[in-house]
Amino acid sequence: MNPQSGIKSPSDNKPQIALTELHQKIDAGVKTAIAKAIERHRKLGESISIWQDGKVVTLTADQIPPLKSDNS
């Protein structure tokens, strides 16, 4: 229910489903995609910017640690 309007949305009638397993799969997929994107930047010699100690820090490709994988 929207507390401001008092109108009940159709989704309010649906039972709550435990999505823990789905959330874990999504989280793992996102982390894998991020790691691959960072590795791509490293291989192409491109820098990345990260948040570190409360500041934005830009790392050169040489400063990016290589991706650890089972295939290497």
Side-chain angles (χ1 to χ4, degrees):
M1 180 185 303
N2 182 333
Q4 292 176 339
S5 68
I7 299 171
K8 199 170 191 177
S9 69
S11 64
D12 289 340
N13 295 331
K14 295 180 183 177
Q16 293 296 318
I17 301 171
L19 296 176
T20 304
E21 185 177 347
L22 179 58
H23 290 157
Q24 290 172 349
K25 288 180 181 181
I26 291 169
D27 189 51
V30 169
K31 287 179 180 179
T32 298
I34 291 169
K36 287 181 178 182
I38 292 171
E39 179 66 6
R40 183 175 184 271
H41 277 265
R42 186 185 70 78
K43 286 182 176 179
L44 293 174
E46 299 172 345
S47 62
I48 61 168
S49 294
I50 62 170
W51 187 260
Q52 186 176 38
D53 299 326
K55 297 183 232 175
V56 175
V57 177
T58 300
L59 301 178
T60 64
D62 294 336
Q63 295 172 313
I64 301 171
L67 178 65
K68 294 178 181 149
S69 68
D70 298 331
N71 300 344
S72 48

